[in-house]
Amino acid sequence: SEDAGSYPAASGSARIHTAHFKLEWPHDLIEVGFTEPLISPLSPTSYASVAQPPMSWAGNLSAWAPQIKFEHRLQLSDTNSMALEAGLWDAGYGGTNLYNYLPLPSDYESEKWPAVESHISWRAGADSRFQIGLGGYRGALKTKFGRTIPSWALSTDLSLRLLSKILIAGEFYRGSSLAGLGGGSHKDILIGTDPSTGAIRSIGLNAAGGWTQLKLNFSPVVEFNAAYGQDGGYGSDFRSLELTGTSNPISTLTRNQMVTGNLILRPRTYLVLSPEYRRILSGQLSGTSNVANLFTISAGYIF
């Protein structure tokens, strides 16, 4: 599901979007699959995003990767429940700070340990009208300099249904070295010269971001979605090093902002039409920001 040129460990592999294998009991679940991390259970609604989850690199930590998870559900009352999840996740290696483009072990694989993750959520009200969750993630990268850099994230997700036609949802996170999850301005680490010592140094890029969406269900035939997301690396990290010069503009990318709006039309039970507008603003370390305006129309057949 990712660009093999940017993820060397996946070079030459089949482009699989998602796959699952489940064993389920009344209160427990074991799942093995190629899916999103536990800390990011929600995603904005979009039929225009296919090769990447909606709002990847703009606040949504939902890059797909191999995962094994265990879930235990607790029914607190007729309308209240909790879910406890734990898992192992094999993060992809992303970013512009690659030093080869061959199918060799990535920085994550070189550490020889998968990332660990956890998530706890509470659902309340009929049809899970209110849902809130907290997640944690911990991994590590071993760079070509032999240094191990921690990769971590703390997240929260929220979903609130107002009446029967309005839904507000969103996720927010803070962490470091998150390019493998779809964050951190497309960079796990920064490599440059220490201005004090003149030595080459690498650091994990701190990042924060999130997204929020408003969903309006006018009728079973018409749905409208508006969303905003942002992901950004910490400016203090960029200023702490004299970065190596490169012609790749993503290497100095510090922030991505995205605004989307779409209509989802279901004129027949088997037909879906969805026009969408997307505006992306990419901020650089210096100079002007790059802006992209995208207009798409998607069609689907449900069977």
Side-chain angles (χ1 to χ4, degrees):
S1 67
E2 306 294 354
D3 180 1
S6 297
Y7 293 77
S11 296
S13 66
R15 290 175 61 86
I16 299 175
H17 286 294
T18 183
H20 304 267
F21 174 78
K22 295 181 180 181
L23 293 174
E24 192 165 4
W25 296 268
H27 298 285
D28 298 295
L29 168 73
I30 296 176
E31 179 182 81
V32 179
F34 193 84
T35 183
E36 69 280 346
L38 295 183
I39 63 173
S40 182
L42 307 177
S43 274
T45 303
S46 172
Y47 281 93
S49 299
V50 179
Q52 297 276 0
M55 285 198 172
S56 289
W57 314 109
N60 187 15
L61 297 182
S62 286
W64 296 300
Q67 175 181 253
I68 180 170
K69 80 167 185 178
F70 171 76
E71 177 182 345
H72 179 65
R73 296 180 291 270
L74 301 170
Q75 194 66 41
L76 305 178
S77 68
D78 292 340
T79 58
N80 289 267
S81 64
M82 291 186 68
L84 307 174
E85 299 172 282
L88 301 176
W89 203 68
D90 184 17
Y93 173 49
T96 58
N97 41 24
L98 302 179
Y99 40 86
N100 61 66
Y101 292 89
L102 302 175
L104 299 175
S106 71
D107 285 0
Y108 283 100
E109 293 171 327
S110 296
E111 187 59 21
K112 299 180 181 180
W113 290 98
V116 295
E117 49 183 346
S118 61
H119 186 259
I120 180 172
S121 61
W122 174 50
R123 300 179 182 181
D127 300 322
S128 300
R129 184 176 296 273
F130 174 75
Q131 176 180 332
I132 187 170
L134 298 172
Y137 169 90
R138 182 64 165 80
L141 308 88
K142 181 171 287 185
T143 71
K144 67 175 181 178
F145 304 106
R147 181 186 175 197
T148 296
I149 293 179
S151 172
W152 63 272
L154 297 174
S155 70
T156 181
D157 53 272
L158 175 69
S159 176
L160 174 63
R161 185 177 298 279
L162 303 175
L163 303 175
S164 60
K165 300 181 182 296
I166 303 174
L167 177 67
I168 300 173
E171 294 180 339
F172 307 93
Y173 61 86
R174 163 74 173 92
S176 179
S177 301
L178 298 179
L181 288 84
S185 300
H186 212 283
K187 289 174 285 297
D188 283 316
I189 61 178
L190 296 178
I191 301 175
T193 303
D194 190 310
S196 301
T197 65
I200 300 296
R201 190 161 62 94
S202 59
I203 62 172
L205 177 62
N206 287 284
W211 61 270
T212 185
Q213 176 180 267
L214 172 66
K215 180 187 293 289
L216 302 176
N217 291 297
F218 295 108
S219 72
V221 178
V222 181
E223 175 185 310
F224 171 74
N225 296 285
Y228 171 80
Q230 176 173 309
D231 166 77
Y234 274 36
S236 57
D237 289 346
F238 285 94
R239 292 189 294 269
S240 68
L241 297 174
E242 295 177 359
L243 301 180
T244 304
T246 175
S247 60
N248 191 337
I250 300 180
S251 64
T252 55
L253 178 68
T254 60
R255 183 183 69 259
N256 259 338
Q257 294 176 313
M258 186 182 299
V259 177
T260 67
N262 63 59
L263 280 174
I264 298 178
L265 309 174
R266 299 180 177 87
R268 296 289 187 271
T269 56
Y270 53 83
L271 182 64
V272 176
L273 298 173
S274 180
E276 179 172 307
Y277 166 69
R278 184 184 312 173
R279 180 179 176 85
I280 305 173
L281 177 67
S282 298
Q284 298 292 321
L285 184 59
S286 61
T288 60
S289 299
N290 297 317
V291 178
N293 293 289
L294 307 176
F295 301 87
T296 62
I297 183 166
S298 306
Y301 185 85
I302 300 174
F303 57 93

